[in-house]
Amino acid sequence: MATVNLTINGRQITAESGQTILEAARNAGIHIPTLCYLKDINKSGACRICLVEVKGARALLSSCTTPVSEGMEVYTNSERALKGRRNSLELIMSNHNKNCLSCKRNQNCELQTLCEEMGIRENQFDGEYTKPSFDNFSHGIVRDTSKCVLCERCVETCKKVQGLGVLGFENRGFATIVAPVYDKSFADVNCMQCGQCVINCPVGALTEKEHIQEVIDAINDPEKVVIVQTAPAVRASLGEEFGLPIGTRVTGKMVAALKRCGFDRVYDTDFAADLTIMEEGTELLERLEHGGVLPLFTSCSPGWVRFIEYEYPELLPHLSSAKSPHMMMGAMLKTYWAEKNGVDPKNIYSVSIMPCIAKKSEIQRPECNTSGLPDVDAVLTTRECARLIKMFGIDFNDLDDEEFDPDLFGDYTGAGVIFGASGGVMEAALRTVKQILEGEKLEKVDFEACRGMQGVKEAEVEVAGNKLWIAIASSMNAAKPLLEEVKAGNSKYTFIEIMGCPGGCINGGGQSIVPSKVKNGNKIGYGYKDLRMNALYDEDQLCELRVSCDNKQIQELYDNFLGKPGSELAEKLLHTHYSQKERFNILDK
């Protein structure tokens, strides 16, 4: 790799040819503030916050777009550079809704942080505001353009991460806003509701639709039995909301906090993840044995399910009919659990704590109800869960660890835990399918080929003497080549896991929001997704049982209620169907 030599603030720096000034500075430990920049996704230079002075240049240059050159002299903190940045920031603030105290991003807002760093205390530029748009019609995402800074991060994330391009710039000049086409609602276009735009928005322009008050009302209703379940990825992120290091596993504290909030039962969705493996694994075996449609696609990610319904409806026969784990748990709560505890299902209020915004739209699917009742009544994101705990005045970090409620759905295996990381569903399925087909306990349950943060992973695995090709993809842009192969009829794979968000649920749209300067790398050598992923695999290692079919309570559920995986009752309660969704017609204004 060719290199160039330059100086930044008088320091001699060697950088790779083709790097930008910003990249060279960050590699050298020199801080340059940014707002619109998002590594590998967006570097438009639109915000002008990363301005630097370069000797010989007539104007200040945006460091995120300017390549380094031999002998370049850069000054990041010259009087001219600092004044240019302040002017840019003050101009942005002049058209920004400043209701910071009531904003969900208060104290975790990159614009707010920049104002603090640069000492912006007053409004230098006062004038009119761009006419705002407010969209809260979709089940998951709220858009408020009065807080938008036109940084383009959400636009490029939707385009480059998910390959959709739902968002774009509408209007021109001072009237410009970011919106779906014709300023339509997210509810009216082919949005996945994945929330990647939300976690990459630096301000409060995009947020999740909040359902905290509905949950509080249910907790305070004496007629309701309020049961909460927590997804595996939540335990690897929730601690960040309370100032703990990224990747801190807070399973016990999370359970203790939710019990103090007043939930009648606290269960782990990992139990239902084990249940999902039994159903989805059986479905795979049946397709292999009876010549069913292959490859089989996993169906745990509702964002991915929405994507295939909009973009590849011809491939729906490949999609597993198994509901996602939390929907299976909801169905079991309002049937088996209700029967065992003598509770009228109408009085059960089922709450899911999820890393995913798309789960909020999933629970609204008419196919996902049990005996006329919704499987799940409310979904709170990891961030909403933290707000609920704070509203109840609970000192999270001072809590002693507590266990999930043990009755009926209290057991889970390590296979259920790793569902939260990309490749976890595949690895969990392989553990059970291999053990069942080979008829003996697995000596080695770790399938290392399934792990890691690559967009696409593949491997050839041996199961009962047969070799099968598997593939794993996270984010729709990564998944598209696999889908095109299947569409063309030349896919070599038997089983494909697809997750809507890069890295899987650990990086779901409802997880704790990590500031972009941390997302771009940290000093201890791991990215935030790796740290959260490692937390889940650490818990997997600690579990006594690590194969889903070994879960005793799962076995009892089949013996006492469902009969067997894929039974008529299991099909009714644990499976669903999917259908083509109409994309927005650009001619239909």
Side-chain angles (χ1 to χ4, degrees):
M1 177 69 70
T3 61
V4 297
N5 299 302
L6 68 156
T7 61
I8 303 180
N9 299 337
R11 283 179 54 189
Q12 291 288 332
I13 302 295
T14 299
E16 295 178 4
S17 179
Q19 281 190 323
T20 61
I21 294 173
L22 178 64
E23 291 166 337
R26 286 188 167 176
N27 288 343
I30 299 171
H31 173 63
I32 299 175
T34 62
L35 186 60
C36 68
Y37 177 77
L38 206 56
K39 186 179 180 182
D40 300 326
I41 296 175
N42 190 45
K43 52 178 182 179
S44 64
C47 69
R48 316 304 289 173
I49 297 298
C50 68
L51 291 174
V52 295
E53 185 173 2
V54 177
K55 186 176 180 180
R58 294 178 58 188
L60 295 173
L61 302 178
S62 58
S63 61
C64 72
T65 60
T66 305
V68 296
S69 61
E70 184 66 34
M72 178 182 276
E73 294 182 30
V74 180
Y75 301 93
T76 70
N77 292 321
S78 67
E79 181 179 356
R80 187 182 176 201
L82 291 175
K83 184 178 180 180
R85 284 184 209 148
R86 283 179 59 92
N87 284 340
S88 296
L89 186 56
E90 287 173 339
L91 285 167
I92 291 171
M93 289 299 296
S94 72
N95 195 31
H96 186 72
N97 180 342
K98 304 177 188 65
N99 62 342
C100 298
L101 292 178
S102 60
C103 181
K104 290 178 187 175
R105 292 296 299 271
N106 188 28
Q107 299 183 63
N108 188 21
C109 168
E110 294 182 36
L111 187 63
Q112 192 179 59
T113 300
L114 285 170
C115 286
E116 180 182 2
E117 288 180 358
M118 295 189 197
I120 305 297
R121 301 286 181 264
E122 299 176 358
N123 297 329
Q124 180 178 341
F125 306 106
D126 265 334
E128 294 186 11
Y129 289 84
T130 302
K131 183 180 179 181
S133 290
F134 187 80
D135 169 23
N136 67 344
F137 295 107
S138 77
H139 295 302
I141 300 175
V142 177
R143 177 173 57 95
D144 181 357
T145 64
S146 72
K147 299 176 182 178
C148 179
V149 293
L150 301 178
C151 67
E152 206 175 353
R153 279 163 49 166
C154 61
V155 175
E156 292 301 298
T157 295
C158 190
K159 184 191 304 179
K160 293 179 181 177
V161 174
Q162 303 298 26
L164 283 171
V166 167
L167 291 165
F169 289 117
E170 295 285 306
N171 309 322
R172 293 185 178 184
F174 188 66
T176 301
I177 60 171
V178 171
V181 64
Y182 300 125
D183 198 17
K184 283 188 170 285
S185 168
F186 281 118
D188 297 326
V189 295
N190 55 322
C191 173
M192 292 170 56
Q193 298 282 300
C194 66
Q196 286 300 304
C197 58
V198 174
I199 61 172
N200 285 304
C201 176
V203 291
L206 294 168
T207 58
E208 74 277 15
K209 182 174 282 189
E210 194 169 85
H211 293 112
I212 295 175
Q213 191 56 53
E214 290 91 331
V215 173
I216 292 175
D217 291 343
I219 290 174
N220 291 328
D221 186 342
E223 299 296 319
K224 296 292 185 184
V225 177
V226 187
I227 304 174
V228 66
Q229 57 172 305
T230 66
V234 174
R235 73 201 67 201
S237 173
L238 182 61
E240 297 164 36
E241 296 290 320
F242 299 92
L244 296 175
I246 295 173
T248 301
R249 186 162 41 87
V250 294
T251 312
K253 291 182 184 298
M254 174 181 67
V255 172
L258 292 173
K259 288 183 176 180
R260 282 158 178 74
C261 286
F263 289 101
D264 295 296
R265 291 287 195 283
V266 181
Y267 291 125
D268 197 334
T269 311
D270 293 358
F271 170 88
D274 286 335
L275 183 59
T276 301
I277 289 301
M278 298 304 295
E279 291 298 319
E280 202 165 73
T282 298
E283 186 176 2
L284 175 61
L285 291 175
E286 289 181 349
R287 292 195 185 198
L288 286 169
E289 292 174 5
H290 300 105
V293 177
L294 293 172
L296 175 67
F297 295 149
T298 59
S299 56
C300 293
S301 168
W304 145 239
V305 170
R306 285 177 64 88
F307 178 86
I308 191 174
E309 287 183 318
Y310 278 114
E311 306 297 323
Y312 288 89
E314 65 273 26
L315 299 185
L316 283 172
H318 292 268
L319 194 62
S320 168
S321 65
K323 291 179 180 177
S324 66
H326 85 119
M327 300 303 284
M328 286 193 181
M329 177 74 94
M332 290 300 94
L333 289 172
K334 294 188 178 183
T335 54
Y336 183 61
W337 189 95
E339 178 184 306
K340 289 291 185 180
N341 287 276
V343 177
D344 187 337
K346 294 179 180 178
N347 293 328
I348 294 176
Y349 192 86
S350 174
V351 180
S352 299
I353 310 293
M354 295 285 127
C356 176
I357 288 177
K359 298 288 186 187
K360 289 176 178 284
S361 62
E362 181 185 28
I363 66 172
Q364 304 297 329
R365 297 182 72 101
E367 307 94 347
C368 292
N369 63 76
T370 302
S371 302
L373 297 171
D375 290 337
V376 174
D377 297 286
V379 167
L380 300 183
T381 63
T382 302
R383 297 187 294 271
E384 287 176 277
C385 178
R387 291 181 206 130
L388 176 68
I389 293 168
K390 291 172 182 176
M391 287 173 70
F392 277 74
I394 297 167
D395 187 345
F396 186 85
N397 294 338
D398 196 47
L399 292 172
D400 292 328
D401 288 355
E402 294 187 23
E403 299 291 330
F404 290 102
D405 286 306
D407 60 310
L408 296 181
F409 305 145
D411 291 346
Y412 61 90
T413 70
V417 176
I418 62 176
F419 257 58
S422 171
V425 176
M426 178 65 72
E427 181 170 354
L430 289 175
R431 291 178 186 182
T432 286
V433 169
K434 188 174 176 67
Q435 181 164 302
I436 289 175
L437 286 179
E438 296 181 356
E440 56 185 15
K441 292 284 187 182
L442 291 185
E443 293 184 6
K444 184 179 183 300
V445 301
D446 295 316
F447 290 81
E448 300 287 348
C450 296
R451 303 180 183 183
M453 287 295 111
Q454 305 97 306
V456 176
K457 295 164 280 190
E458 69 166 17
E460 187 180 37
V461 296
E462 184 173 322
V463 178
N466 298 310
K467 291 187 176 181
L468 306 176
W469 276 97
I470 58 149
I472 297 157
S474 62
S475 85
M476 297 304 94
N477 221 29
K480 277 185 175 181
L482 296 175
L483 298 176
E484 289 295 332
E485 285 182 4
V486 176
K487 185 176 177 180
N490 55 16
S491 176
K492 65 182 178 181
Y493 304 107
T494 301
F495 193 22
I496 299 177
E497 177 203 304
I498 299 181
M499 289 291 166
C501 296
C505 300
I506 51 170
N507 188 39
Q511 290 283 67
S512 299
I513 294 176
V514 181
S516 63
K517 64 182 179 183
V518 179
K519 286 182 182 179
N520 293 336
N522 56 53
K523 294 180 181 179
I524 59 176
Y526 290 100
Y528 71 104
K529 289 180 283 188
D530 297 275
L531 292 167
R532 292 174 181 170
M533 175 187 68
N534 291 341
L536 299 185
Y537 284 111
D538 287 346
E539 185 161 323
D540 170 38
Q541 291 287 339
L542 294 172
C543 288
E544 181 181 352
L545 299 176
R546 300 179 61 201
V547 181
S548 295
C549 60
D550 291 336
N551 185 326
K552 301 297 184 189
Q553 289 185 332
I554 291 289
Q555 295 170 7
E556 291 170 2
L557 175 62
Y558 281 109
D559 290 342
N560 300 331
F561 185 61
L562 292 172
K564 65 178 183 178
S567 69
E568 184 176 344
L569 184 57
E571 285 288 335
K572 176 183 177 182
L573 299 179
L574 305 180
H575 292 255
T576 185
H577 65 275
Y578 305 103
S579 57
Q580 179 176 355
K581 300 293 186 290
E582 291 299 323
R583 299 176 63 184
F584 170 66
N585 185 348
I586 197 167
L587 299 178
D588 181 23
K589 297 185 183 180

